[in-house]
Amino acid sequence: MFAKRKTIVTAIELGTSKICVLIGECQDDEDNVIVIGRGEVDSNGAVVKGEIIDMDKAVELLSDAVDQADELSGKRLSESKFIGVGVTSSGITSFQNVGSAIVRSPDGIISEDDIAEAGKNSKLVHLPYDRVKIETFSSYFLLAGQRRVSDPIGQISRKLDAYVNVIHGDFDRISLFTKLVTDCGVGDEELVFPVFTGIAAAQSILTDEEKNNGVIFIDMGAGTSEYLVVHNGGVMSSGVIPVGFEHVANDLSLILNLHIDNCRKLIVDGTITALSAQGRGFIEQKNFNSRNVKIPLLSFEKIIEERLREIFEIIKSRVAKEISLRDLASGGVLTGGGAMFPRTADIFRSVFECPVRVGKPFDASGAITDLESPRCSAVWGILKYGNIYLKSGRIESGGIIDAASSLLDNAAGNIMHGIRNVWNSLKV
Amino acid sequence: MEQNTENCLTTPAVAADVQPKPKIMVIGLGKAGVMFAEQLVSMEHAKWLDVVAIDTDISTLSPYPGLQKFQADQRWRNGNGCGGDLMNGTRSFAIEREGIGKLIEGASAIIVTGGLGRGTATGGAAVFASMAKKKNIPALFVMTVPFTMEGHNRRQTADKGISEILPSADALFCLPMDLLFSTLPAETPVAEAYAAANREMAGVVLGVAEILRNRSMLPADLSDFRAVLNQRKSICSIGIGTASTADGINRCHVALEKMLQAPMLGGVNSFKEADVIFSIITGGSDLSISEMKKTLEAAASFFNPKARVITGVAISDDCGNDVQLSAITVKYDKSETLPSLETVAVTESKKRKSKVHGEKEQPPLPLQDISKGIFVNAAPSIINGQDLDIPTCQRKMINIDIGIEQK
């Protein structure tokens, strides 16, 4: 009946500042996703530092957002083949793992089967019972234990090592995210996939050139900051620190005795930025005792600077363990709500001593196109991720679910080929 | 301050009239303190000081007839010592508050000296600190920390005493007695060693008093002491070298050598490890600029390049042909974090209040000041042992100006 097969993908982000739902439509022969529905509500304290602390409230808010999006899309949510829910915080960390394969072909030319075997071995990870693997990404391949390549097909070597970045999180807390989504009646449990928001945001922001040259990507949200180092198309390091821009507002509120809403407003509406650009010395605010206080602008700047600098220093010290920062030729990319405050990028630049750009979704299309803000990069990324994911799954095996589950768990040998395609297409 | 300096330069005679001579009172507390005081009285240069020896033990005070004495707590202690009990010391002096207030009335500064680690001085010093604060008199404490061989117990008592003195004292110099070992020859008889210790401590007290008294050209004075030592636990060492024209043309060089060899300095190594170094040269009206420059530069060559160096030059009419080179090294006790938490800006207002009251106040518990705000109910974010929910500025102890309330 239809000339083109269209698939519906849903992305859900449970952020500290906002709960956001996107519904997208992807076509078989096109890479792009068209946004057909969007719902967004304030988190209102249900999510703190990327963790759901008030389950009832979160269910209520998420239902609102889902209804909004469903309404806009013309009730097509139920057709979703992929529901990605962004997970963050939850003690998400990563480590580098390695899997080896002996090349069996007589001439030593590496074939896809060898890559699949090395990939399979690298995915044999034994995690403690309370941890769950979220995703595995290829970092690079090592030929004969010496040469580093990103695409080993056609190379000659007797031994192939696949290095992967395994991202894993706390089992209970991640199940909470998926449970919340199924509780809202969005879809069946087997369609709900946890997606690390750091990866998702990078997916929506980074260009191929940046991924190849090497880049440090930071998504600073309200409650958490995710980071990702990509070099030669492979993930070198990734993780989360549970500190975000809410901490800046909280610091201001605690130290200067101001109400937290006041502090948020001062940051968000650009008052601080504007006043310091004008060279003003003081800001007048009402404090807790509802008296007017004249606070030096310098105090605000100092508090903000110290906090942001600390966040970047922590990320830098973690990243520096995995890769030399000088290898990252494309410098840094900053996104998330924190990127909307101009000083953040400056401090990022001064801590990492590299050029930094602020990234926002650039290729969103559809009726709802006001996604071009750093705040929306994660949710847009989840949508794009779902699209790529479904497409790559369809290539090799008939069942989407088979492919999908194999990507998350240890794959059977013959499906590995498809997964490698996912790696290729994700390039992260 | 600047005006005074100007006056001094043009007409010293008039300046002396305008600026009344400061009356500095030295209080020798406890057995060790009484001995330091006795030594001080016998020194020629220290005649201008007001020296009082105070103890609860009558037998300590009685052998020194020439000394201005004050026997504390006659009613309860019955002329006995405190028996190494810090609480006894505190109680005895708490009873004598009024007497202490009268005693220090009118002094422009007091220097309390004694040996920490036992009862009277350890417990009593804190009372002096709070009384001085109440009367608005700057109070400096030059205390010795007991020998390591005296045992762990004494060290602990001394530490307790230090934590009580710190909140209200303007500056506390803690001089480890162990420093004496570094310079005295091994075969020195014990009696002589203690006599040397007394002599040295008296010299140190005198040196500190001289710094407070003199008109400074390059100021290194009470405010500097306060800035460096207030509320911070530290270990100090003090070296003082004096030389006069009788020692030859190069008197400053002689003074420097004497200073470096001073027992309470603990050798040149103290300079290498110090966080803050005061280097002060005091001379008569004949002190020339080249001498001053040469001496201070020569002294500075020994200093830790990372240390904060506070240089001072003072001119005293009483010096005659003498020059005195004083060096004070301060090494902060890094293990001590509690007192410095107070410096967090949030408590700034409380601190100001406590100065007005003058009474010694228990430092506020850090628990009250450090809050997590909206993150109080969330799982803590602890990275590298630091709770990241607490504002960075509070964790790093950065002072923030919290502004002025408008009326």
Side-chain angles (χ1 to χ4, degrees):
Chain A
M1 195 174 146
F2 288 105
K4 286 174 186 170
R5 233 173 103 190
K6 287 176 184 170
T7 319
I8 300 295
V9 178
T10 306
I12 296 170
E13 192 207 358
L14 295 148
T16 308
S17 72
K18 64 178 194 313
I19 291 175
C20 191
V21 178
L22 280 190
I23 299 175
E25 187 186 61
C26 34
Q27 293 174 349
D28 266 356
D29 53 346
E30 274 175 50
D31 277 346
N32 222 355
V33 193
I34 296 161
V35 181
I36 55 170
R38 182 187 179 192
E40 190 180 318
V41 290
D42 262 7
S43 295
N44 232 342
V47 184
V48 171
K49 289 195 284 188
E51 284 174 40
I52 302 153
I53 59 164
D54 189 338
M55 201 64 184
D56 293 341
K57 210 169 170 185
V59 170
E60 205 176 289
L61 292 169
L62 179 59
S63 304
D64 282 355
V66 167
D67 286 348
Q68 273 182 35
D70 199 19
E71 203 72 39
L72 269 173
S73 70
K75 302 277 178 196
R76 296 185 65 190
L77 177 74
S78 52
E79 297 169 27
S80 294
K81 292 282 182 274
F82 177 98
I83 300 163
V85 53
V87 290
T88 181
S89 192
S90 318
I92 290 174
T93 44
S94 69
F95 62 88
Q96 296 290 106
N97 201 31
V98 60
S100 309
I102 304 296
V103 180
R104 292 211 183 78
S105 62
D107 50 0
I109 292 174
I110 295 166
S111 65
E112 299 213 338
D113 289 343
D114 300 318
I115 296 171
E117 194 188 335
K120 185 183 144 198
N121 291 340
S122 71
K123 283 173 155 248
L124 293 172
V125 184
H126 295 284
L127 291 168
Y129 70 96
D130 60 340
R131 309 291 293 176
V132 61
K133 196 162 68 174
I134 302 170
E135 275 151 287
T136 315
F137 287 97
S138 68
S139 301
Y140 53 87
F141 294 92
L142 209 59
L143 303 180
Q146 285 174 343
R147 282 170 60 211
R148 210 192 235 213
V149 289
S150 57
D151 188 5
I153 287 187
Q155 299 273 3
I156 296 180
S157 168
R158 287 293 157 194
K159 190 176 170 237
L160 176 71
D161 295 318
Y163 281 79
V164 292
N165 187 263
V166 182
I167 301 170
H168 58 101
D170 192 297
F171 180 80
D172 294 341
R173 287 192 263 178
I174 285 176
S175 338
L176 193 66
F177 278 98
T178 44
K179 185 180 174 292
L180 179 71
V181 173
T182 41
D183 276 4
C184 288
V186 179
D188 291 339
E189 205 171 335
E190 58 261 36
L191 292 176
V192 178
F193 300 102
V195 181
F196 174 42
T197 51
I199 293 280
Q203 190 57 40
S204 75
I205 301 295
L206 296 183
T207 61
D208 287 351
E209 196 190 340
E210 279 169 342
K211 286 180 209 164
N212 285 327
N213 288 347
V215 66
I216 161 99
F217 172 80
I218 296 177
D219 174 5
M220 187 182 284
T224 55
S225 303
E226 292 89 18
Y227 63 90
L228 197 69
V229 178
V230 187
H231 186 244
N232 251 344
V235 178
M236 296 294 159
S237 170
S238 60
V240 194
I241 59 168
V243 183
F245 230 74
E246 281 278 281
H247 281 83
V248 175
N250 193 41
D251 287 4
L252 291 176
S253 144
L254 285 178
I255 296 179
L256 302 174
N257 288 330
L258 300 174
H259 196 277
I260 182 104
D261 285 337
N262 259 358
C263 299
R264 285 193 191 118
K265 193 168 155 273
L266 283 174
I267 297 170
V268 172
D269 68 6
T271 314
I272 294 174
T273 320
L275 289 182
S276 46
Q278 284 167 24
R280 287 264 213 94
F282 292 90
I283 294 185
E284 253 196 61
Q285 282 289 314
K286 273 202 164 55
N287 70 355
F288 276 135
N289 310 331
S290 63
R291 290 237 186 89
N292 273 336
V293 202
K294 232 176 158 185
I295 301 166
L297 204 60
L298 200 71
S299 302
F300 281 91
E301 285 168 356
K302 228 177 181 175
I303 295 166
I304 295 170
E305 176 107 10
E306 285 296 332
R307 172 59 84 176
L308 293 178
R309 198 166 279 278
E310 187 186 50
I311 297 175
F312 290 121
E313 297 276 4
I314 292 172
I315 295 175
K316 189 180 176 185
S317 72
R318 286 190 178 185
V319 165
K321 282 178 200 158
E322 310 284 348
I323 189 169
S324 159
L325 289 169
R326 272 175 300 179
D327 289 352
L328 307 174
S330 280
V333 174
L334 177 72
T335 190
M340 293 165 82
F341 187 71
R343 277 297 289 162
T344 318
D346 293 344
I347 295 166
F348 188 176
R349 199 169 293 136
S350 85
V351 171
F352 281 86
E353 292 164 354
C354 65
V356 170
R357 77 170 175 100
V358 171
K360 51 191 171 190
F362 56 89
D363 51 357
S365 59
I368 301 134
T369 49
D370 58 338
L371 285 171
E372 284 173 8
S373 154
R375 294 180 79 216
C376 299
S377 46
V379 69
W380 170 241
I382 298 170
L383 204 63
K384 270 183 90 173
Y385 183 89
N387 177 30
I388 296 165
Y389 187 82
L390 286 179
K391 290 218 165 104
S392 60
R394 207 176 284 151
I395 292 167
E396 277 306 303
S397 59
I400 294 157
I401 297 155
D402 282 355
S405 57
S406 66
L407 195 120
L408 293 169
D409 302 314
N410 295 323
N414 58 345
I415 307 173
M416 278 309 293
H417 184 60
I419 288 162
R420 218 193 70 77
N421 275 350
V422 175
W423 288 354
N424 267 348
S425 51
L426 284 177
K427 284 214 180 79
V428 275
Chain B
M1 190 72 203
E2 260 176 23
Q3 238 175 0
N4 283 347
T5 325
E6 242 172 28
N7 281 344
C8 297
L9 282 172
T10 48
T11 49
V14 179
D17 288 343
V18 173
Q19 199 179 23
K21 283 224 162 167
K23 183 182 162 215
I24 293 173
M25 180 176 272
V26 175
I27 293 160
L29 211 54
K31 189 165 171 143
V34 172
M35 286 199 285
F36 301 156
E38 203 275 330
Q39 190 69 43
L40 204 55
V41 170
S42 65
M43 285 165 92
E44 188 61 35
H45 285 297
K47 289 280 180 262
W48 60 281
L49 284 170
D50 216 343
V51 184
V52 191
I54 303 180
D55 199 3
T56 51
D57 193 347
I58 188 82
S59 62
T60 319
L61 293 169
S62 50
Y64 311 112
L67 214 53
Q68 194 186 340
K69 288 175 236 173
F70 182 88
Q71 193 200 341
D73 195 15
Q74 290 176 3
R75 252 172 74 205
W76 299 100
R77 294 247 71 81
N78 268 334
N80 295 320
C82 290
D85 189 343
L86 191 147
M87 272 320 286
N88 278 344
T90 316
R91 276 181 210 137
S92 300
F93 283 93
I95 291 172
E96 297 286 355
R97 267 176 175 278
E98 207 178 327
I100 293 167
K102 268 185 203 147
L103 184 75
I104 60 175
E105 187 86 70
S108 53
I110 60 167
I111 300 174
V112 180
T113 177
L116 289 175
R118 302 208 62 216
T120 318
T122 320
V127 181
F128 277 89
S130 74
M131 278 315 283
K133 200 162 228 191
K134 199 172 189 177
K135 298 252 173 216
N136 237 341
I137 299 168
L140 271 70
F141 292 79
V142 183
M143 312 299 270
T144 60
V145 177
F147 287 112
T148 319
M149 64 184 181
E150 284 180 75
H152 180 63
N153 221 354
R154 289 243 171 125
R155 196 44 171 277
Q156 246 180 351
T157 316
D159 276 346
K160 263 188 224 164
I162 290 169
S163 62
E164 284 191 23
I165 300 167
L166 270 178
S168 34
D170 282 294
L172 169 63
F173 299 93
C174 293
L175 298 153
M177 291 292 269
D178 289 333
L179 287 176
L180 283 176
F181 287 125
S182 64
T183 40
L184 287 181
E187 63 275 8
T188 316
V190 175
E192 210 171 284
Y194 271 87
N198 292 345
R199 213 165 41 239
E200 280 310 316
M201 277 304 292
V204 163
V205 172
L206 180 61
V208 173
E210 288 279 6
I211 293 165
L212 294 186
R213 172 171 75 145
N214 296 318
R215 345 182 276 270
S216 302
M217 298 293 143
L218 246 183
D221 49 23
L222 188 70
S223 56
D224 288 300
F225 287 151
R226 221 183 257 145
V228 170
L229 291 162
N230 198 357
Q231 314 263 339
R232 292 195 71 171
K233 192 176 170 189
S234 57
I235 292 293
C236 302
S237 69
I238 303 181
I240 286 161
T242 318
S244 70
T245 18
D247 291 311
I249 314 163
N250 211 347
R251 57 176 182 167
C252 286
H253 191 79
V254 176
L256 176 63
E257 258 174 26
K258 280 188 179 168
M259 185 267 278
L260 290 174
Q261 284 161 6
M264 291 314 269
L265 183 70
V268 182
N269 266 350
S270 299
F271 287 134
K272 297 282 178 233
E273 290 163 3
D275 293 315
V276 184
I277 300 167
F278 289 94
S279 143
I280 298 157
I281 184 165
T282 315
S285 43
D286 62 340
L287 181 71
S288 75
I289 187 164
S290 72
E291 271 180 318
M292 174 188 104
K293 182 169 174 284
K294 249 195 301 190
T295 321
L296 291 177
E297 276 175 359
S301 64
F302 296 103
F303 296 167
N304 173 7
K306 282 180 192 159
R308 171 177 167 193
V309 178
I310 296 164
T311 314
V313 179
I315 300 297
S316 163
D317 299 330
D318 296 346
C319 271
N321 293 327
D322 292 356
V323 284
Q324 178 184 297
L325 190 63
S326 327
I328 304 174
T329 71
V330 180
K331 192 174 174 224
Y332 290 124
D333 186 344
K334 265 109 190 173
S335 63
E336 192 75 12
T337 50
L338 202 131
S340 33
L341 272 178
E342 283 189 318
T343 53
V344 171
V346 183
T347 56
E348 194 61 40
S349 52
K350 286 181 197 162
K351 250 167 44 191
R352 263 185 233 129
K353 231 182 267 168
S354 76
K355 261 183 196 154
V356 178
H357 287 310
E359 287 293 324
K360 189 163 81 84
E361 217 174 65
Q362 186 187 358
L365 285 172
L367 285 174
Q368 293 170 335
D369 295 324
I370 288 171
S371 161
K372 295 189 188 182
I374 54 168
F375 300 112
V376 80
N377 291 323
S381 344
I382 292 170
I383 290 178
N384 304 333
Q386 298 215 20
D387 191 341
L388 296 184
D389 292 336
I390 297 166
T392 317
C393 289
Q394 288 188 358
R395 264 181 288 122
K396 288 192 177 169
M397 289 155 198
I398 296 166
N399 261 311
I400 300 286
D401 184 354
I402 61 165
I404 316 148
E405 266 190 21
Q406 306 284 297
K407 293 268 158 58

